[in-house]
Amino acid sequence: MVFSSLFGKRPTEPESPEPAAPEQPKLSLFDRMKQAVTRTRESLSDSISSVVALTREVDQASLDELEPRLLAADIGSATTAIIMENLRQRALRTGIESGAQLRQILKVELKQILDGVSRPMQHPAAPPEVILMVGVNGTGKTTTTGKLANLYRTQGRSVLLCAADTFRAAAIEQLEVWAQRSDVPVIKTKQGGDPSAALYDALTAAKARGTDVLIADTAGRLHTKTDLMKELDKMRRTAEKLVPGAPHQTFLVMDATTGQNGLQQARLFTEAARVSGIVLTKLDGTAKGGIVLAIATELKLPVLYAGIGEKIDDLIPFDSTAFIDSLVG
Protein backbone atom coordinates (compact mmCIF):
# COMPACT_ATOMS: atom_id res chain seq x y z
CA MET A 1 0.00 0.00 0.00
CA VAL A 2 2.92 2.36 0.84
CA PHE A 3 4.61 1.55 -2.47
CA SER A 4 1.48 2.46 -4.35
CA SER A 5 1.04 5.75 -2.53
CA LEU A 6 4.59 6.83 -3.42
CA PHE A 7 3.63 6.81 -7.06
CA GLY A 8 0.28 8.38 -6.45
CA LYS A 9 -1.53 5.20 -7.36
CA ARG A 10 -4.56 3.83 -5.71
CA PRO A 11 -5.10 0.16 -5.12
CA THR A 12 -6.67 -1.54 -8.08
CA GLU A 13 -10.36 -2.03 -7.52
CA PRO A 14 -11.98 -5.28 -8.57
CA GLU A 15 -13.75 -5.07 -11.89
CA SER A 16 -17.49 -5.27 -11.81
CA PRO A 17 -18.70 -8.48 -13.42
CA GLU A 18 -20.31 -7.98 -16.80
CA PRO A 19 -24.01 -8.60 -16.75
CA ALA A 20 -24.85 -12.07 -18.00
CA ALA A 21 -26.38 -12.22 -21.45
CA PRO A 22 -30.06 -13.02 -21.27
CA GLU A 23 -30.69 -16.70 -21.82
CA GLN A 24 -32.18 -17.36 -25.22
CA PRO A 25 -35.56 -19.09 -25.05
CA LYS A 26 -35.48 -22.69 -26.16
CA LEU A 27 -37.05 -23.23 -29.54
CA SER A 28 -39.82 -25.78 -29.89
CA LEU A 29 -39.42 -28.84 -32.11
CA PHE A 30 -41.65 -27.16 -34.70
CA ASP A 31 -39.55 -23.98 -34.72
CA ARG A 32 -36.29 -25.92 -35.03
CA MET A 33 -37.73 -28.00 -37.86
CA LYS A 34 -39.02 -24.86 -39.55
CA GLN A 35 -35.56 -23.32 -39.46
CA ALA A 36 -34.01 -26.49 -40.85
CA VAL A 37 -36.27 -26.69 -43.91
CA THR A 38 -36.24 -22.97 -44.68
CA ARG A 39 -34.52 -23.40 -48.03
CA THR A 40 -36.85 -26.19 -49.13
CA ARG A 41 -39.93 -24.30 -47.94
CA GLU A 42 -38.89 -21.19 -49.85
CA SER A 43 -38.64 -23.16 -53.08
CA LEU A 44 -41.75 -25.30 -52.57
CA SER A 45 -44.23 -23.22 -50.61
CA ASP A 46 -43.55 -20.09 -52.62
CA SER A 47 -43.92 -22.14 -55.78
CA ILE A 48 -47.35 -23.31 -54.69
CA SER A 49 -48.33 -19.69 -54.10
CA SER A 50 -47.18 -18.68 -57.56
CA VAL A 51 -49.01 -21.60 -59.19
CA VAL A 52 -52.38 -20.59 -57.78
CA ALA A 53 -51.87 -16.84 -57.37
CA LEU A 54 -53.84 -15.91 -60.46
CA THR A 55 -56.34 -18.73 -60.34
CA ARG A 56 -59.41 -18.79 -58.16
CA GLU A 57 -60.05 -22.47 -58.78
CA VAL A 58 -57.21 -24.97 -59.09
CA ASP A 59 -57.54 -26.61 -62.51
CA GLN A 60 -55.58 -29.11 -64.58
CA ALA A 61 -53.24 -26.43 -65.91
CA SER A 62 -52.23 -25.22 -62.45
CA LEU A 63 -51.70 -28.78 -61.28
CA ASP A 64 -49.45 -29.38 -64.28
CA GLU A 65 -47.37 -26.41 -63.11
CA LEU A 66 -47.15 -27.84 -59.60
CA GLU A 67 -45.58 -31.12 -60.69
CA PRO A 68 -42.10 -29.79 -61.63
CA ARG A 69 -42.03 -27.81 -58.36
CA LEU A 70 -42.41 -31.03 -56.38
CA LEU A 71 -39.66 -32.68 -58.42
CA ALA A 72 -37.38 -29.70 -57.81
CA ALA A 73 -37.76 -30.24 -54.05
CA ASP A 74 -36.37 -33.77 -54.59
CA ILE A 75 -39.58 -35.47 -53.56
CA GLY A 76 -38.79 -37.95 -56.31
CA SER A 77 -40.59 -39.07 -59.44
CA ALA A 78 -42.37 -42.01 -57.83
CA THR A 79 -43.67 -39.96 -54.90
CA THR A 80 -44.59 -37.02 -57.14
CA ALA A 81 -46.54 -39.33 -59.46
CA ILE A 82 -48.58 -40.65 -56.52
CA ILE A 83 -49.31 -37.17 -55.20
CA MET A 84 -50.24 -35.72 -58.58
CA GLU A 85 -52.58 -38.58 -59.41
CA ASN A 86 -54.40 -38.13 -56.11
CA LEU A 87 -54.67 -34.36 -56.61
CA ARG A 88 -56.00 -34.77 -60.14
CA GLN A 89 -58.58 -37.30 -59.01
CA ARG A 90 -59.64 -34.93 -56.23
CA ALA A 91 -59.91 -32.04 -58.68
CA LEU A 92 -62.06 -34.11 -61.04
CA ARG A 93 -64.39 -35.42 -58.32
CA THR A 94 -65.02 -32.42 -56.12
CA GLY A 95 -62.75 -29.66 -57.36
CA ILE A 96 -60.07 -27.71 -55.51
CA GLU A 97 -61.41 -24.25 -54.93
CA SER A 98 -58.37 -22.26 -53.84
CA GLY A 99 -54.66 -22.21 -53.18
CA ALA A 100 -55.35 -22.53 -49.45
CA GLN A 101 -57.35 -25.69 -50.04
CA LEU A 102 -54.60 -27.04 -52.30
CA ARG A 103 -52.08 -26.53 -49.51
CA GLN A 104 -54.23 -28.42 -47.02
CA ILE A 105 -54.84 -31.30 -49.40
CA LEU A 106 -51.15 -31.46 -50.25
CA LYS A 107 -50.24 -31.55 -46.55
CA VAL A 108 -52.61 -34.47 -46.01
CA GLU A 109 -51.11 -36.35 -48.98
CA LEU A 110 -47.54 -35.82 -47.80
CA LYS A 111 -48.29 -36.79 -44.22
CA GLN A 112 -50.01 -40.01 -45.32
CA ILE A 113 -46.85 -41.00 -47.16
CA LEU A 114 -44.68 -40.47 -44.07
CA ASP A 115 -47.15 -42.04 -41.66
CA GLY A 116 -47.44 -45.05 -43.98
CA VAL A 117 -43.89 -46.15 -43.08
CA SER A 118 -43.94 -45.01 -39.45
CA ARG A 119 -43.45 -47.74 -36.89
CA PRO A 120 -42.84 -47.75 -33.14
CA MET A 121 -39.27 -48.48 -32.14
CA GLN A 122 -38.92 -51.83 -30.43
CA HIS A 123 -36.80 -51.56 -27.30
CA PRO A 124 -35.43 -54.61 -25.44
CA ALA A 125 -36.95 -55.60 -22.13
CA ALA A 126 -33.55 -55.32 -20.43
CA PRO A 127 -30.46 -53.24 -21.24
CA PRO A 128 -28.27 -52.77 -23.08
CA GLU A 129 -30.06 -51.66 -26.22
CA VAL A 130 -27.60 -52.17 -29.07
CA ILE A 131 -27.60 -49.76 -32.03
CA LEU A 132 -25.45 -50.06 -35.16
CA MET A 133 -24.77 -46.87 -37.13
CA VAL A 134 -24.19 -47.60 -40.83
CA GLY A 135 -23.68 -45.49 -43.94
CA VAL A 136 -21.08 -44.43 -46.47
CA ASN A 137 -18.18 -42.18 -45.54
CA GLY A 138 -18.97 -38.49 -45.78
CA THR A 139 -22.57 -38.63 -44.61
CA GLY A 140 -21.68 -37.50 -41.09
CA LYS A 141 -22.04 -40.94 -39.54
CA THR A 142 -19.42 -40.57 -36.80
CA THR A 143 -20.53 -37.04 -35.94
CA THR A 144 -24.14 -38.22 -35.79
CA THR A 145 -23.15 -41.09 -33.51
CA GLY A 146 -21.77 -38.57 -31.03
CA LYS A 147 -24.83 -36.33 -31.29
CA LEU A 148 -27.15 -39.30 -30.78
CA ALA A 149 -25.20 -40.27 -27.67
CA ASN A 150 -25.66 -36.75 -26.35
CA LEU A 151 -29.40 -36.80 -27.12
CA TYR A 152 -29.90 -40.07 -25.25
CA ARG A 153 -27.78 -38.87 -22.32
CA THR A 154 -29.89 -35.72 -21.97
CA GLN A 155 -32.92 -38.00 -21.85
CA GLY A 156 -31.47 -39.64 -18.76
CA ARG A 157 -30.12 -42.80 -20.41
CA SER A 158 -26.58 -44.05 -19.83
CA VAL A 159 -24.65 -44.48 -23.07
CA LEU A 160 -21.50 -46.27 -24.19
CA LEU A 161 -19.91 -45.72 -27.60
CA CYS A 162 -18.03 -48.33 -29.61
CA ALA A 163 -15.46 -47.22 -32.20
CA ALA A 164 -16.03 -50.04 -34.68
CA ASP A 165 -15.02 -47.99 -37.73
CA THR A 166 -11.45 -49.23 -37.64
CA PHE A 167 -10.68 -48.69 -41.31
CA ARG A 168 -11.12 -44.96 -41.94
CA ALA A 169 -8.13 -42.88 -40.89
CA ALA A 170 -8.84 -40.81 -37.76
CA ALA A 171 -12.36 -42.27 -37.33
CA ILE A 172 -11.52 -43.54 -33.85
CA GLU A 173 -10.00 -40.22 -32.80
CA GLN A 174 -13.01 -38.36 -34.21
CA LEU A 175 -15.41 -40.50 -32.19
CA GLU A 176 -13.30 -39.95 -29.06
CA VAL A 177 -13.71 -36.20 -29.48
CA TRP A 178 -17.48 -36.55 -29.75
CA ALA A 179 -17.50 -38.89 -26.76
CA GLN A 180 -15.81 -36.17 -24.70
CA ARG A 181 -18.29 -33.56 -25.91
CA SER A 182 -21.19 -35.86 -25.10
CA ASP A 183 -19.65 -36.85 -21.76
CA VAL A 184 -19.95 -40.56 -22.48
CA PRO A 185 -17.29 -43.31 -22.43
CA VAL A 186 -16.00 -45.03 -25.57
CA ILE A 187 -14.53 -48.48 -26.18
CA LYS A 188 -11.95 -48.63 -28.98
CA THR A 189 -9.25 -50.74 -30.58
CA LYS A 190 -6.35 -49.84 -32.83
CA GLN A 191 -6.87 -48.66 -36.40
CA GLY A 192 -7.13 -51.61 -38.75
CA GLY A 193 -8.33 -53.89 -35.97
CA ASP A 194 -11.26 -56.27 -36.12
CA PRO A 195 -14.55 -54.30 -35.77
CA SER A 196 -16.30 -57.34 -34.31
CA ALA A 197 -13.64 -57.65 -31.62
CA ALA A 198 -14.16 -54.01 -30.69
CA LEU A 199 -17.90 -54.61 -30.54
CA TYR A 200 -17.38 -57.70 -28.36
CA ASP A 201 -15.35 -55.68 -25.85
CA ALA A 202 -17.96 -52.89 -25.87
CA LEU A 203 -20.83 -55.31 -25.33
CA THR A 204 -19.01 -56.96 -22.44
CA ALA A 205 -18.38 -53.56 -20.87
CA ALA A 206 -21.97 -52.42 -21.40
CA LYS A 207 -23.34 -55.50 -19.69
CA ALA A 208 -20.92 -55.22 -16.78
CA ARG A 209 -21.73 -51.55 -16.24
CA GLY A 210 -25.49 -51.88 -16.69
CA THR A 211 -25.41 -49.37 -19.55
CA ASP A 212 -28.75 -48.50 -21.12
CA VAL A 213 -27.58 -47.96 -24.71
CA LEU A 214 -24.55 -49.09 -26.69
CA ILE A 215 -24.04 -47.26 -30.01
CA ALA A 216 -21.49 -48.72 -32.45
CA ASP A 217 -20.03 -46.56 -35.20
CA THR A 218 -19.33 -48.98 -38.07
CA ALA A 219 -17.12 -48.64 -41.14
CA GLY A 220 -18.47 -46.66 -44.08
CA ARG A 221 -16.70 -48.64 -46.75
CA LEU A 222 -18.77 -49.54 -49.78
CA HIS A 223 -16.58 -51.74 -51.95
CA THR A 224 -19.09 -54.44 -52.82
CA LYS A 225 -22.38 -55.59 -51.42
CA THR A 226 -20.78 -58.93 -50.52
CA ASP A 227 -18.01 -57.34 -48.44
CA LEU A 228 -20.51 -55.15 -46.66
CA MET A 229 -22.84 -58.02 -45.84
CA LYS A 230 -20.02 -60.22 -44.54
CA GLU A 231 -18.71 -57.56 -42.20
CA LEU A 232 -22.11 -56.54 -40.87
CA ASP A 233 -23.25 -60.15 -40.52
CA LYS A 234 -20.18 -60.90 -38.40
CA MET A 235 -20.96 -57.94 -36.16
CA ARG A 236 -24.59 -59.01 -35.83
CA ARG A 237 -23.58 -62.54 -34.87
CA THR A 238 -21.17 -61.15 -32.28
CA ALA A 239 -23.89 -58.95 -30.80
CA GLU A 240 -26.43 -61.76 -30.73
CA LYS A 241 -24.06 -64.05 -28.83
CA LEU A 242 -23.71 -61.61 -25.95
CA VAL A 243 -27.07 -59.83 -26.01
CA PRO A 244 -30.11 -61.79 -27.22
CA GLY A 245 -31.99 -59.92 -29.95
CA ALA A 246 -29.10 -57.54 -30.65
CA PRO A 247 -28.60 -55.41 -32.60
CA HIS A 248 -31.98 -53.97 -31.71
CA GLN A 249 -31.68 -51.01 -34.08
CA THR A 250 -29.68 -50.36 -37.23
CA PHE A 251 -29.70 -46.70 -38.25
CA LEU A 252 -28.66 -45.70 -41.74
CA VAL A 253 -27.13 -42.22 -41.82
CA MET A 254 -27.95 -40.32 -45.02
CA ASP A 255 -26.82 -36.90 -46.19
CA ALA A 256 -29.85 -34.82 -47.23
CA THR A 257 -27.72 -32.68 -49.55
CA THR A 258 -27.03 -35.66 -51.81
CA GLY A 259 -30.74 -35.98 -52.56
CA GLN A 260 -31.69 -38.64 -55.09
CA ASN A 261 -28.01 -39.49 -55.62
CA GLY A 262 -27.86 -40.92 -52.12
CA LEU A 263 -30.82 -43.23 -52.59
CA GLN A 264 -28.92 -45.89 -54.57
CA GLN A 265 -26.29 -46.20 -51.85
CA ALA A 266 -29.08 -46.29 -49.29
CA ARG A 267 -30.78 -49.17 -51.12
CA LEU A 268 -27.56 -51.18 -50.89
CA PHE A 269 -27.33 -50.67 -47.16
CA THR A 270 -31.00 -51.40 -46.51
CA GLU A 271 -30.62 -54.74 -48.27
CA ALA A 272 -27.35 -55.65 -46.55
CA ALA A 273 -27.78 -54.22 -43.08
CA ARG A 274 -31.44 -54.81 -42.17
CA VAL A 275 -31.89 -51.10 -41.57
CA SER A 276 -34.68 -50.15 -39.15
CA GLY A 277 -34.67 -46.39 -39.68
CA ILE A 278 -32.95 -43.38 -41.23
CA VAL A 279 -31.00 -40.57 -39.60
CA LEU A 280 -30.99 -37.70 -42.10
CA THR A 281 -28.10 -35.28 -41.69
CA LYS A 282 -27.58 -31.74 -43.06
CA LEU A 283 -31.30 -31.13 -43.53
CA ASP A 284 -30.64 -27.46 -42.91
CA GLY A 285 -28.14 -27.25 -45.77
CA THR A 286 -30.34 -28.15 -48.72
CA ALA A 287 -33.33 -26.94 -50.72
CA LYS A 288 -34.12 -30.58 -51.44
CA GLY A 289 -35.64 -31.58 -48.10
CA GLY A 290 -38.33 -33.43 -50.02
CA ILE A 291 -35.90 -36.36 -50.01
CA VAL A 292 -37.66 -37.36 -46.78
CA LEU A 293 -40.72 -38.25 -48.87
CA ALA A 294 -38.64 -40.13 -51.44
CA ILE A 295 -37.07 -42.19 -48.65
CA ALA A 296 -40.51 -43.19 -47.40
CA THR A 297 -41.77 -44.14 -50.85
CA GLU A 298 -38.71 -45.87 -52.26
CA LEU A 299 -37.00 -47.33 -49.19
CA LYS A 300 -40.16 -47.93 -47.12
CA LEU A 301 -38.30 -46.68 -44.05
CA PRO A 302 -39.07 -43.93 -41.54
CA VAL A 303 -36.77 -41.00 -40.88
CA LEU A 304 -36.23 -41.20 -37.11
CA TYR A 305 -33.84 -38.31 -36.47
CA ALA A 306 -32.83 -35.20 -38.39
CA GLY A 307 -29.55 -33.29 -38.26
CA ILE A 308 -30.31 -29.57 -38.37
CA GLY A 309 -26.93 -27.96 -37.67
CA GLU A 310 -23.37 -28.44 -36.51
CA LYS A 311 -23.81 -28.08 -32.75
CA ILE A 312 -23.94 -31.09 -30.48
CA ASP A 313 -27.65 -30.65 -29.75
CA ASP A 314 -28.55 -30.13 -33.43
CA LEU A 315 -29.98 -33.63 -33.77
CA ILE A 316 -33.72 -33.87 -33.13
CA PRO A 317 -36.34 -36.62 -33.24
CA PHE A 318 -38.12 -36.43 -36.57
CA ASP A 319 -41.78 -35.49 -36.37
CA SER A 320 -43.87 -35.86 -39.54
CA THR A 321 -46.45 -33.27 -38.52
CA ALA A 322 -43.82 -30.64 -37.69
CA PHE A 323 -41.97 -31.44 -40.90
CA ILE A 324 -45.00 -31.15 -43.20
CA ASP A 325 -46.30 -28.02 -41.47
CA SER A 326 -42.85 -26.47 -41.75
CA LEU A 327 -42.41 -27.54 -45.36
CA VAL A 328 -45.72 -26.52 -46.88
CA GLY A 329 -46.77 -23.76 -44.45
Side-chain angles (χ1 to χ4, degrees):
M1 186 66 69
V2 174
F3 181 82
S4 297
S5 64
L6 288 174
F7 289 89
K9 292 182 180 179
R10 305 175 70 178
T12 302
E13 296 183 6
E15 296 182 0
S16 300
E18 294 185 5
E23 188 175 342
Q24 296 296 321
K26 271 200 161 185
L27 295 177
S28 66
L29 177 62
F30 173 79
D31 288 332
R32 299 186 76 187
M33 185 68 75
K34 189 174 182 179
Q35 286 184 351
V37 300
T38 295
R39 296 177 65 183
T40 308
R41 182 176 64 254
E42 288 173 350
S43 64
L44 178 60
S45 187
D46 292 350
S47 295
I48 296 172
S49 298
S50 64
V51 165
V52 299
L54 301 178
T55 308
R56 287 188 177 181
E57 184 174 351
V58 178
D59 55 14
Q60 182 64 50
S62 56
L63 288 178
D64 288 342
E65 288 186 42
L66 176 62
E67 187 167 1
R69 318 295 177 106
L70 296 177
L71 290 170
D74 232 26
I75 289 177
S77 56
T79 312
T80 298
I82 294 170
I83 294 169
M84 293 310 303
E85 178 60 24
N86 290 343
L87 290 176
R88 290 185 177 109
Q89 290 297 322
R90 173 67 178 265
L92 285 173
R93 290 196 308 270
T94 60
I96 302 176
E97 297 178 355
S98 65
Q101 188 180 21
L102 175 62
R103 284 179 188 274
Q104 288 304 120
I105 296 172
L106 183 59
K107 286 169 69 171
V108 171
E109 291 289 336
L110 298 180
K111 192 168 188 307
Q112 284 179 344
I113 290 170
L114 295 183
D115 290 349
V117 296
S118 178
R119 63 194 73 161
M121 290 179 62
Q122 300 296 324
H123 301 290
E129 179 173 4
V130 181
I131 301 173
L132 297 186
M133 305 292 285
V134 303
V136 298
N137 290 332
T139 58
K141 177 172 53 60
T142 300
T143 296
T144 301
T145 300
K147 290 180 179 180
L148 187 63
N150 179 71
L151 177 63
Y152 287 160
R153 188 187 60 77
T154 59
Q155 293 173 348
R157 306 174 76 186
S158 57
V159 182
L160 176 65
L161 293 179
C162 172
D165 183 353
T166 61
F167 293 92
R168 181 170 65 88
I172 297 173
E173 290 81 0
Q174 184 185 1
L175 189 65
E176 284 184 298
V177 170
W178 279 102
Q180 292 174 358
R181 293 175 182 172
S182 307
D183 194 24
V184 299
V186 59
I187 300 295
K188 64 178 182 176
T189 186
K190 63 182 180 180
Q191 184 177 344
D194 183 358
S196 294
L199 180 60
Y200 182 94
D201 291 343
L203 288 163
T204 302
K207 291 178 66 177
R209 301 175 189 181
T211 302
D212 294 324
V213 186
L214 169 66
I215 310 175
D217 179 30
T218 70
R221 297 175 307 150
L222 194 60
H223 298 320
T224 69
K225 180 178 175 180
T226 302
D227 289 342
L228 180 65
M229 289 182 70
K230 283 182 179 178
E231 185 173 301
L232 291 174
D233 277 342
K234 184 179 178 182
M235 294 184 74
R236 277 199 297 263
R237 290 195 303 271
T238 299
E240 174 67 29
K241 285 179 182 177
L242 290 178
V243 180
H248 306 99
Q249 318 288 346
T250 301
F251 294 159
L252 172 62
V253 180
M254 288 182 62
D255 181 344
T257 63
T258 62
Q260 294 290 318
N261 294 330
L263 280 178
Q264 183 54 43
Q265 293 175 335
R267 289 189 189 95
L268 182 61
F269 271 98
T270 55
E271 293 169 5
R274 304 176 195 171
V275 174
S276 54
I278 304 293
V279 182
L280 193 64
T281 64
K282 307 175 191 177
L283 185 60
D284 59 313
T286 181
K288 297 179 178 292
I291 191 65
V292 173
L293 282 303
I295 290 169
T297 301
E298 300 186 37
L299 301 182
K300 309 298 182 188
L301 286 169
V303 173
L304 300 174
Y305 299 95
I308 59 170
E310 298 180 358
K311 294 183 294 187
I312 193 168
D313 60 348
D314 284 338
L315 183 74
I316 60 175
F318 183 82
D319 181 273
S320 63
T321 300
F323 176 76
I324 297 300
D325 286 346
S326 300
L327 192 67
V328 181

